[in-house]
């Protein structure tokens, strides 16, 4: 175990999964409570399309992932306001559109590019030190914004209209929150892959919600589940030599299932 | 009561995608006035409140609140308007306590980047005491009964220390005893804090004894005046149809509306 911790790639994987697990778990709280999980799924696939384009034309995959990820939020918000429709419609359109682009770009590539599949299925054990720096910088940025606007995000998740009515700049903050969700997805993309990043965003918060009755416990449980399953996943996938992203998600899903079955929150009688 | 209107609708029309929900409304509401708003389903009651909150703007005519055009309403204005939305079921699993929910009323006044101070805690405690929910402050909000949730949301609105309180059917889905307690609470708040109150309800009899002014909506402003002038067959029949019976109870009009297409 201690010997394992001396490996550079394990250290990087643990650091990356700590940051990603934490950021996704915390952003995930608002994603789940506000009921905007679709933006996470949409962003993940759009960002993957960005990555494929980057490999095709030879630019930074990360930069393209950010660009495509954020554009999901912008396009969806714009279309939603213009077309006065529920956001899941434009997301559904954009999501399939970007997936089609990804398939197109992969088709246009010459030869087999294994790196592309790394972004699809995730490979936390191959995080480079540059990757880690980028992940750290963005994670800290997201966490700072999250702390700064925490009470407002809490309010707009509880009731957007009530928040706006009582003097919170709810529309702008809601847009900011969607952008943060999208960024969180992008930084987790390489580690857990486009197919699975959605799980990292939604599962810890959803599991935590089965137990928590106030915001503080919600934060603690969600963070513990997110970071715990990420770390456990890193070790397990190394020892058993199985894919890391899948291991992390399966662990988190197990915790979720356990929470749904055993939390008993709904049955709990209210003390008089 | 002062003679200064705090709310002034002038020939205001509100529409959703071209469909006019409220038409040509001219109405003044004065500081400290207690106004009841009645009307059948879809008559524009909620729309009236959303206009007052600056959430929707008139397509023609104008609406002034605090001497400010509603289009110009800023966050600090809105923080002075307490609002109890028409009830939708909140997710019983939402992780929020009674205290946290009531504290949200302070967020607008606190401003961005600020944490609740001692004063905010005191105000929230006072508000919860006013609605009789202080003992349950650490309970999960989602696990309260409907009536208790309404009371917490009223406490949230009161925590804003508002000048205007807008209540959209606060007593719907609540048992009769609790309804009367809520009504008496609102009455008390009106007197105690000199609040301007707009109380939307289907339950005419619940409020007819306490409001100073009754407004009857049916897309247009159908009638406005003291309850005893408004609650007559001549005024109500065109709005509610033939099914209005005006009985007397304790020398006061008691209205029975037999709604043919809606719940009463
Ligand atoms: N968001 C919306 N989009 C489109 N039309 C709407 C919207 N909200 C209300 N309407 C329409 O505006 C009209 C007035 O609605 P409003 O909600 O103000 O009625 P109400 O008097 O509050 O009714 P209720 O007693 O059922 O609460 C209705 O015809 C309704 O269909
Ligand atoms: Mg209504």
């Amino acid at each position: 175990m201690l010997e394992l911790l001396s490996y550079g790639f394990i250290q990087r994987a643990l650091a990356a999964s700590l940051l990603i697990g934490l950021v996704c778990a915390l952003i995930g709280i608002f994603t789940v409570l506000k009921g905007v999980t679709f933006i996470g799924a949409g962003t993940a696939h759009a960002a993957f399309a960005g990555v494929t384009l980057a490999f095709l034309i030879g630019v930074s995959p990360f930069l393209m992932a950010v660009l495509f990820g954020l554009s999901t939020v912008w396009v969806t918000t714009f279309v939603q306001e213009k077309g006065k429709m529920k956001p899941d419609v434009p997301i559904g359109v954009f999501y399939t559109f970007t997936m089609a682009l990804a398939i197109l770009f992969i088709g246009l590539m010459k030869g087999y590019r294994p790196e592309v599949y790394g972004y699809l299925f995730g490979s936390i054990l191959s995080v480079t030190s540059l990757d880690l720096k980028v992940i750290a910088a963005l994670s800290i940025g997201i966490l700072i914004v999250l702390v700064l606007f925490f009470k407002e995000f809490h309010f707009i998740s509880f009731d957007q209209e009530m928040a706006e009515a009582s003097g919170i700049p709810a529309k702008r903050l809601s847009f900011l929150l969607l952008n943060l969700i999208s960024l969180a997805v992008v930084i987790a993309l390489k580690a857990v892959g486009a197919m699975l990043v959605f799980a990292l965003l939604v599962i810890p918060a959803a599991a935590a919600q089965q137990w928590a009755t106030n915001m503080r416990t919600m934060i603690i449980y969600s963070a513990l589940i997110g970071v715990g399953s990420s770390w456990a996943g890193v070790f397990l996938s190394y020892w058993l030599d199985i894919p890391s992203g899948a291991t992390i998600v399966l662990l988190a899903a197990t915790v979720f299932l356990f929470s749904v079955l055993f939390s008993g929150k709904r049955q709990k009688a209210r003390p008089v | 009561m002062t003679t200064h209107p705090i709310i002034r609708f002038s020939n205001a029309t509100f529409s959703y995608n071209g469909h006019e929900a409220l038409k040509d409304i001219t109405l003044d509401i004065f500081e400290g006035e207690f106004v009841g708003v009645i009307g059948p389903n879809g008559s524009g009651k909620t729309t009236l409140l959303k206009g007052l909150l600056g959430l929707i703007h008139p397509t023609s005519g104008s609406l002034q609140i605090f001497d400010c055009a509603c289009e110009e309403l800023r966050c600090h204005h809105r923080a002075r308007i307490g609002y109890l939305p028409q009830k939708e079921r909140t997710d019983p699993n939402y992780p929020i306590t009674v205290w946290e929910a009531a504290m949200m009323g302070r967020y607008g006044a606190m401003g961005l980047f600020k944490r609740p101070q001692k004063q905010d805690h005191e105000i929230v405690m006072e508000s919860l005491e006013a609605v009789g929910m202080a003992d349950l402050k650490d309970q999960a909000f989602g696990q309260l009964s409907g009536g208790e949730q309404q009371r917490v949301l009223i406490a949230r609105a009161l925590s804003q220390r508002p000048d205007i309180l807008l209540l959209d059917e606060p007593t719907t889905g609540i048992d009769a005893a609790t309804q009367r307690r809520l009504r008496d609470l609102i009455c008390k708040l009106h007197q105690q804090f000199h609040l301007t109150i707009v109380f939307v309800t289907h339950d005419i009899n619940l409020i007819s004894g306490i409001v100073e002014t009754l407004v009857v909506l049916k897309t247009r402003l159908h009638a406005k005046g003291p309850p005893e002038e408004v609650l007559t067959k001549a005024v109500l029949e065109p709005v509610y149809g033939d099914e209005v019976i005006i009985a007397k109870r304790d020398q006061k009009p008691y209205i029975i509306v037999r709604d043919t297409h809606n719940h009463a």
Side-chain angles (χ1 to χ4, degrees), chain B residues 22-76:
Chain B
L22 271 180
K23 215 168 175 172
D24 198 24
I25 303 293
T26 297
L27 172 68
D28 282 350
I29 295 175
F30 293 89
E31 236 179 282
E33 193 173 356
F34 193 165
V35 181
V37 178
I38 58 172
N41 289 130
S43 55
K45 305 183 295 297
T46 299
T47 305
L48 187 87
L49 299 189
K50 291 200 172 154
L52 286 175
L53 288 161
L55 296 177
I56 53 172
H57 301 155
T59 44
S60 68
S62 70
L63 165 57
Q64 295 224 308
I65 306 148
F66 304 124
D67 289 321
C68 167
C70 70
E71 292 85 356
E72 317 269 283
L73 216 59
R74 291 277 162 268
C75 284
H76 68 271

Side-chain angles (χ1 to χ4, degrees), chain B residues 153-264:
Chain B
L153 293 180
I154 292 175
R156 191 205 63 81
L158 290 177
S159 297
Q160 284 178 235
R161 286 282 161 93
D163 298 325
I164 303 176
L165 187 58
L166 307 177
L167 305 161
D168 200 348
E169 303 192 27
T171 58
T172 304
I174 288 175
D175 69 66
T178 312
Q179 277 190 7
R180 282 192 296 276
R181 247 186 294 141
L182 264 180
R183 176 198 59 186
D184 295 342
L185 166 69
I186 290 161
C187 224
K188 194 184 86 191
L189 296 170
H190 168 62
Q191 284 154 4
Q192 198 173 337
F193 299 111
H194 195 66
L195 277 176
T196 309
I197 298 183
V198 181
F199 190 134
V200 169
T201 184
H202 286 287
D203 194 342
I204 302 172
N205 300 305
L206 185 74
I207 59 162
S208 60
I210 56 166
V211 297
E212 291 150 354
T213 311
L214 206 50
V215 167
V216 186
L217 288 181
K218 193 174 183 179
T219 309
R220 292 175 176 277
L221 181 85
H222 187 77
K224 184 208 169 200
E228 54 276 16
E229 279 173 30
V230 171
L231 298 178
T232 61
K233 224 172 162 56
V235 172
L236 295 183
E237 239 172 35
V239 176
Y240 288 100
D242 295 336
E243 306 283 341
V244 185
I245 300 163
I246 303 190
K248 284 263 174 197
R249 204 174 74 171
D250 307 331
Q251 266 105 49
K252 290 206 175 111
Y254 188 84
I255 315 298
I256 302 162
V257 179
R258 277 193 35 214
D259 231 332
T260 42
H261 53 286
N262 299 311
H263 62 276

Side-chain angles (χ1 to χ4, degrees), chain A residues 12 15 20 22 24 35 60 84 103 109 136 217 220 222 240 245:
Chain A
R12 285 194 299 274
I20 292 168
L22 187 67
C24 284
S60 153
K84 299 216 186 303
I103 295 168
M109 284 174 201
T217 49
I220 295 169
S222 187
L240 303 177

